Amino acid sequence: MTLDRRLFLQSSSLILAGGISQLVGPDGRALGAPKFAEKPTFQPRALMATWTQDPTTTMTLQWLGKNEQDGLTRNLWYRQSRHKTWREVPHTARRFPHTDLWQFRAELTGLAPDATYRIRIGLDSKQESIRTMPAKATNEISFVSGGDSGSSSAARRTNQLAAIQSPRFVVLGGDLAYENGENSETFLKFIDNYSADLRDEQGHLIPLVACIGNHETVGFYDKTRKEAPFFYAMFDGLYPDTGYATLDFGDYLSLVLMDSGHTSPIEGDQTDWLERQLKTREDHPNVFLVNHVPMYPCVRNADDKLHASMRKHWSPLLERYNVDAALEHHDHAFKRTHRMLDGLVNDRGVLYLGDGSWGRIRNPEGPDKRPFLAKSTESYHMSLHRLAGKDRFHMALSDRGKVVDVVHTQKLART
Ligand SMILES: [Fe+2]
Ligand SMILES: [Fe+2]
């Protein structure tokens, strides 16, 4: 019997036990309800929330354990904060690449939108909490983007600055840990830091969405999924077959997450897919493209083959289907472009924000040398995006909390 099968059978029997938990015993405690340890003795390593399906009603939780028993004996329990009944969900277990660790994953579905849930891993861990995204964008929604993190002291400061904003989620556009597909210690350090630092003001786990960058792979470009073992171990729920995917938040926000040539070619299937994704979301209120290598870089030579190829194949699609902004990374500085249309500055064009300096930094060229740039600075940064009805505010903050840039945008009216 496979491990996954055994876990599922064990979980099923416990779910049946949970089915009688509405009955109340003499001590007032629901019969069949889990009896959690008063003092937690088990700490799941690198507990992290992410999504593989609609974030308004689902949540994926992952954690690491030292051995198989950490998964077999501890299942994930959850309840909506305003309800008393705990439920249990089956999870999967597999080896974490290049380590003796086990990776466990549970998928919560059918959740209430805009709701807080309490979670526990087994009976002996401490209670954690998560919250789902709203069903509609009726109130302001904030999220943070960035890229090129690693685990330096600057990256930790940016982590903490991001958490202080209490964003609904973080999207990292590649070069998460700089393990280069090989160094497990480097990757573990990154996810340990993220798990410890990224809690909002109420202690909820802040979910992480990511796209792939060159430092996720052994060799950077034109590689296979097997050559990006840590990225796909963490995120293959969203990317089961390809290095690109779209995450739709109800009908109000779409993240179109690209693979800038690391495990998927730019031309061909990915570009065809991009056109289909954008075409069907042409009238959606907030569509952001997230990619690692920038179409409009502020440090590297913009005429290099890869940048030019993405500008040739992807930029016209972003323009045609009215994408609101491209969130780019890889060049390790702050940049904001003018709106760009067909390679030229044009108010009818697309905004490109970047360039990935969560924890790494370089000195960019400025608007004098690169006319497509509106602004660039040598600054660690993350960007806080606030969606408020028809208005959007994109604020870049340095690792020390200084406001680097603010820009206000609205959906462009089609002519
Ligand atoms: Fe990088
Ligand atoms: Fe990079």
Side-chain angles (χ1 to χ4, degrees):
M1 191 183 290
T2 66
L3 177 61
D4 286 1
R5 172 98 177 129
R6 277 184 282 129
L7 284 171
F8 181 76
L9 290 174
Q10 183 204 38
S11 298
S12 300
S13 61
L14 288 168
I15 288 167
L16 288 175
I20 60 168
S21 63
Q22 303 299 334
L23 300 172
V24 177
D27 60 354
R29 193 169 68 83
L31 289 175
K35 191 169 188 332
F36 294 112
E38 286 180 16
K39 286 195 177 167
T41 52
F42 173 67
Q43 174 73 46
R45 182 170 182 182
L47 178 64
M48 189 178 287
T50 186
W51 285 301
T52 62
Q53 302 178 64
D54 189 342
T56 67
T57 56
T58 72
M59 189 76 75
T60 301
L61 290 150
Q62 300 186 121
W63 66 98
L64 302 178
K66 284 198 193 99
N67 55 54
E68 197 176 353
Q69 289 303 311
D70 286 340
L72 287 173
T73 59
R74 293 184 180 89
N75 302 286
L76 190 141
W77 295 88
Y78 71 103
R79 70 173 171 86
Q80 195 172 344
S81 60
R82 60 194 183 86
H83 294 154
K84 289 192 173 156
T85 306
W86 287 91
R87 294 169 186 274
E88 195 184 31
V89 65
H91 64 264
T92 58
R94 61 185 176 183
R95 298 302 293 264
F96 196 64
H98 304 329
T99 68
D100 295 330
L101 298 170
W102 285 79
Q103 180 188 12
F104 306 106
R105 177 182 294 170
E107 177 100 30
L108 308 184
T109 57
L111 304 179
D114 203 16
T116 296
Y117 283 82
R118 310 295 179 200
I119 60 168
R120 288 178 183 267
I121 312 296
L123 301 175
D124 53 355
S125 73
K126 78 170 182 169
Q127 182 170 280
E128 301 275 6
S129 66
I130 53 172
R131 64 178 176 165
T132 51
M133 294 292 289
K136 299 281 176 189
T138 44
N139 295 320
E140 284 189 2
I141 290 171
S142 296
F143 68 95
V144 158
S145 76
D148 305 83
S149 172
S151 302
S152 66
S153 54
R156 293 300 293 272
R157 286 196 299 275
T158 310
N159 278 0
Q160 285 148 13
L161 186 77
I164 286 169
Q165 313 306 320
S166 279
R168 288 290 190 149
F169 63 92
V170 168
V171 55
L172 285 179
D175 287 4
L176 311 182
Y178 289 87
E179 90 288 353
N180 295 326
E182 292 178 312
N183 189 325
S184 59
E185 286 305 311
T186 301
F187 192 84
L188 290 170
K189 202 169 173 186
F190 167 79
I191 56 170
D192 283 342
N193 288 349
Y194 187 96
S195 180
D197 295 342
L198 271 293
R199 308 292 174 113
D200 72 12
E201 60 195 352
Q202 294 175 303
H204 305 314
L205 303 176
I206 300 174
L208 174 62
V209 180
C211 79
I212 192 167
N214 55 307
H215 283 282
E216 270 70 61
T217 67
V218 182
F220 298 165
Y221 298 100
D222 304 322
K223 299 299 166 190
T224 63
R225 289 165 66 92
K226 279 192 175 162
E227 290 166 300
F230 299 98
F231 179 82
Y232 285 112
M234 291 299 293
F235 300 108
D236 65 346
L238 184 58
Y239 303 98
D241 306 308
T242 60
Y244 40 92
T246 300
L247 189 62
D248 289 315
F249 297 65
D251 61 1
Y252 60 85
L253 170 63
S254 297
L255 299 179
V256 182
L257 301 141
M258 306 302 288
D259 177 344
S260 45
H262 314 295
T263 60
S264 315
I266 305 296
E267 259 187 278
D269 287 350
Q270 184 172 200
T271 294
D272 295 345
W273 170 89
L274 177 62
E275 172 145 33
R276 291 194 301 274
Q277 297 298 298
L278 297 183
K279 192 171 185 181
T280 56
R281 292 165 181 79
E282 191 172 5
D283 299 319
H284 285 208
N286 297 288
V287 179
F288 297 105
L289 185 111
V290 185
N291 58 321
H292 182 63
V293 175
M295 286 170 254
Y296 287 96
C298 65
V299 174
R300 292 175 172 86
N301 185 345
D303 294 329
D304 282 355
K305 193 174 157 203
L306 185 53
H307 308 293
S309 172
M310 287 188 293
R311 283 201 305 280
K312 177 181 170 189
H313 294 286
W314 294 355
S315 289
L317 300 176
L318 309 193
E319 295 161 8
R320 187 178 311 154
Y321 298 111
N322 208 9
V323 167
D324 296 290
L327 309 179
E328 312 196 294
H329 308 88
H330 184 59
D331 263 16
H332 304 182
F334 168 75
K335 77 111 188 272
R336 170 165 56 86
T337 68
H338 295 289
R339 286 188 176 277
M340 299 301 296
L341 182 68
D342 201 16
L344 299 171
V345 175
N346 187 314
D347 287 346
R348 312 294 311 157
V350 173
L351 187 65
Y352 295 80
L353 300 172
D355 265 341
S357 55
W358 193 282
R360 298 281 173 116
I361 200 167
R362 288 197 190 100
N363 186 12
E365 288 197 332
D368 53 332
K369 297 232 172 80
R370 304 193 183 200
F372 57 77
L373 289 174
K375 188 171 181 180
S376 62
T377 63
E378 182 178 358
S379 175
Y380 294 110
H381 87 286
M382 48 125 247
S383 290
L384 178 67
H385 306 271
R386 181 158 292 163
L387 313 178
K390 290 190 158 108
D391 295 303
R392 294 183 295 248
F393 302 91
H394 311 277
M395 180 183 293
L397 296 168
S398 80
D399 59 318
R400 305 279 183 185
K402 183 180 156 193
V403 176
V404 175
D405 187 55
V406 187
V407 63
H408 166 244
T409 61
Q410 288 190 332
K411 190 94 190 167
L412 288 183
R414 303 312 297 262
T415 50

